[in-house]
Amino acid sequence: MKRLVVLGSGTAGTMVVNKLRPHLDRADWSITVVDQDGDHLYQPGLLLLPFGVYEPEELVKPRVRFIPDGVDLVLGEIDRVDADTNSVHLADGRELGYDYLVIATGTSPRPDQTPGMAEGEWHKSIFEFYTLDGAIALRDKLESWDGGRLVVHVVEMPIKCPVAPLEFTFLADAFFAERGMRDRVEITYVTPLEGAFTKPIASRHLGGMLVDREIAIEGDFVVDRVDPDARTLVSMDEREVPFDLLVTVPLNMGADFVARSGLGDELNYVPVDKHTLLSKAHRNIFAIGDASDIPASKAGSVAHFSVELFAKNFLEHVHDRPMTHPFDGHANCFIESGHGKGLLIDFNYDTEPLPGKYPMPGIGPFTLLEESHLNHWGKLGFRWAYWHLLLPGRPMPVPALMSMAGKRREPLDTVSSPER
Ligand SMILES: Cc1cc2nc3c(=O)[nH]c(=O)nc-3n(C[C@H](O)[C@H](O)[C@H](O)COP(=O)(O)OP(=O)(O)OC[C@H]3O[C@@H](n4cnc5c(N)ncnc54)[C@H](O)[C@@H]3O)c2cc1C
């Protein structure tokens, strides 16, 4: 009997067990998936919860509901992996042996890594929305806040869903406008990047949208500390950004057990081949989703597309055949832009987000790098697709590899900022 152990039953780990169980004979293979708790959180909903679009209970379902027959779900905190003896140790002393291991334990916000952040002003004037508790606390704050200096801030890249802080900024602009108090709120977007996003064309486009909305950008801002008493962000080069309300995306890091096991880089991400997701150090360990160090966005869409190819590669690998389905870094993300509109971006390791139509060339119905109401409805509709198609590993009507069909290559100068 061969043993496959999957660490983490979030977006990627759940899809992995659903994709692989039908193809691994039950007489020959056991599959176990481990997670620290029993609740599956739909993380994209955390962006909208602070604005009252979702209630917390709409974003959480029991994990067990998405685990197929023939897969054991073990609940417990992973303490470390011993790659020499092929075993996983849980914090409560349990031990799980494996022949193949898939690490899918994601990445988490770590406010403790920035001095002054998670201290006296935490959940008073300093908030985040990357956890359920954080998003609920921020919703309660926004409900009663009567204006001042709002600073939306990213500590360091990479973060999961790199467009989420921008989306939060656009939604905040619209939220305050709809409440008739936009003139009482000064919004500043503070980022360690030079511009609004990591890729030049999208950065120019999204940066233009910030300017249109009279949102200031403070770029190249490498935060050194938060001064909670003075309510100020301080950078390494001693620039200061004062705030009345700070919405930060703290440093994102992979799970601590990855570091304890000697399997991670300085941010606890597992170094893997970017096409096969096979560990660079161990022939029987893969890392998938946000837990790996691949140079793609940390996003559910990347988890989804990569699992499709990983499942085929894994079956070749365990039969000692070369893996013939290279992953291309394909990512796509809806970007909420406020007032019931959104954009869509679609890209991979080699091609940055371009304008055009998706998924059907010329037809869409979604528009790339351009605001539309349909894109917004696409984002809202995705929650249904996540629970009913994506997690159970059912086919989705989009290809795993990125396609150039429907995309227009345009020089930077011709990309204008959109009409509102
Ligand atoms: C606000 C927000 C908005 C987002 N919006 C989008 C979007 O619009 N589109 C998009 O594609 N993506 C979006 N994402 C990103 C997406 O949710 C993640 O990229 C995706 O969930 C990654 O899947 P994963 O399986 O790698 O990690 P996760 O889904 O985070 O799963 C990791 C699992 O590992 C478990 N785990 C971790 N450590 C341990 C341990 N020590 N012991 C036991 N279990 C452990 C956790 O409990 C968790 O269940 C968003 C994320 C956030 C926070």
Side-chain angles (χ1 to χ4, degrees):
M1 192 79 161
K2 288 242 166 45
R3 297 157 303 172
L4 167 63
V5 173
V6 178
L7 302 183
S9 170
T11 312
T14 305
M15 281 190 281
V16 163
V17 297
N18 277 298
K19 285 280 178 198
L20 284 179
R21 183 67 283 179
H23 299 286
L24 294 173
D25 196 320
R26 291 185 190 205
D28 300 332
W29 282 87
S30 72
I31 305 182
T32 303
V33 60
V34 186
D35 208 289
Q36 59 201 355
D37 62 51
D39 289 333
H40 191 118
L41 173 64
Y42 176 64
Q43 296 179 47
L46 298 177
L47 169 73
L48 295 163
L49 190 148
F51 301 104
V53 177
Y54 293 128
E55 291 299 320
E57 52 275 17
E58 291 179 279
L59 306 182
V60 180
K61 292 188 193 286
R63 284 190 201 287
V64 65
R65 210 183 276 180
F66 304 99
I67 305 302
D69 276 356
V71 172
D72 292 326
L73 172 64
V74 171
L75 294 182
E77 189 189 339
I78 300 149
D79 181 53
R80 75 194 152 83
V81 173
D82 186 339
D84 294 329
T85 59
N86 290 344
S87 54
V88 176
H89 298 264
L90 304 188
D92 61 12
R94 281 178 287 174
E95 190 180 330
L96 301 166
Y98 64 85
D99 296 289
Y100 291 91
L101 185 71
V102 176
I103 300 176
T105 36
T107 184
S108 303
R110 295 288 298 267
D112 58 307
Q113 299 290 312
T114 301
M117 187 177 276
E119 296 173 12
E121 283 300 300
W122 189 243
H123 288 188
K124 291 183 187 148
S125 62
I126 305 177
F127 292 82
E128 57 84 25
F129 62 95
Y130 269 46
T131 63
L132 187 56
D133 287 348
I136 292 170
L138 181 54
R139 176 194 65 185
D140 296 345
K141 177 74 180 182
L142 288 178
E143 194 51 47
S144 60
W145 195 54
D146 61 4
R149 290 164 302 189
L150 167 65
V151 172
V152 184
H153 167 238
V154 179
V155 168
E156 184 55 292
M157 304 301 285
I159 55 171
K160 54 184 155 185
C161 196
V163 290
L166 273 173
E167 295 181 274
F168 183 89
T169 310
F170 296 142
L171 289 170
D173 166 72
F175 177 82
F176 296 125
E178 282 157 17
R179 296 193 146 203
M181 57 181 282
R182 180 63 180 89
D183 58 342
R184 300 206 304 274
V185 182
E186 186 186 305
I187 309 180
T188 306
Y189 187 73
V190 180
T191 168
L193 300 172
E194 199 183 319
F197 192 54
T198 47
K199 315 267 178 178
I201 292 181
S203 179
R204 173 103 168 233
H205 196 91
L206 296 165
M209 290 172 61
L210 290 174
V211 172
D212 286 351
R213 288 159 172 76
E214 297 180 359
I215 295 163
I217 305 186
E218 187 75 33
D220 290 324
F221 191 97
V222 182
V223 72
D224 177 56
R225 61 189 186 280
V226 180
D227 182 339
D229 299 326
R231 290 191 182 167
T232 306
L233 279 174
V234 186
S235 69
M236 292 286 188
D237 55 5
E238 293 297 325
R239 277 183 283 159
E240 295 191 355
V241 178
F243 59 84
D244 297 304
L245 175 57
L246 175 65
V247 177
T248 186
V249 179
L251 185 70
N252 279 204
M253 289 180 75
D256 284 340
F257 81 83
V258 173
R260 279 197 294 275
S261 311
L263 294 173
D265 63 15
E266 68 284 358
L267 286 174
N268 303 348
Y269 299 127
V270 184
V272 296
D273 179 282
K274 70 176 187 176
H275 298 298
T276 63
L277 310 178
L278 182 62
S279 154
K280 288 186 175 160
H282 301 278
R283 297 275 306 156
N284 62 344
I285 298 182
F286 291 83
I288 196 157
D290 295 347
S292 88
D293 76 337
I294 61 170
S297 285
K298 295 197 178 297
S301 60
V302 171
H304 164 218
F305 297 135
S306 62
V307 167
E308 299 276 339
L309 298 154
F310 159 79
K312 295 174 181 162
N313 286 330
F314 183 80
L315 297 174
E316 291 172 332
H317 187 68
V318 299
H319 289 107
D320 285 327
R321 296 198 299 265
M323 293 184 267
T324 60
H325 300 85
F327 178 53
D328 64 348
H330 186 193
N332 66 24
C333 300
F334 287 108
I335 304 176
E336 283 288 286
S337 57
H339 303 292
K341 288 189 181 176
L343 295 81
L344 179 64
I345 51 175
D346 188 64
F347 57 107
N348 70 8
Y349 290 138
D350 304 316
T351 305
E352 63 175 306
L354 295 169
K357 298 278 188 189
Y358 184 88
M360 288 179 283
I363 297 171
F366 301 116
T367 47
L368 294 169
L369 264 184
E370 197 182 304
E371 287 181 275
S372 76
H373 289 292
L374 209 67
N375 288 341
H376 165 72
W377 289 112
K379 176 113 179 175
L380 293 189
F382 194 74
R383 188 167 61 105
W384 184 92
Y386 183 84
W387 297 125
H388 295 94
L389 301 177
L390 202 98
L391 282 187
R394 300 201 176 99
M396 295 271 288
V398 284
L401 293 172
M402 197 208 76
S403 162
M404 278 304 291
K407 295 192 172 65
R408 294 193 310 274
R409 280 202 186 278
E410 286 186 8
L412 261 176
D413 289 338
T414 64
V415 180
S416 59
S417 73
E419 297 293 314
R420 285 195 58 195

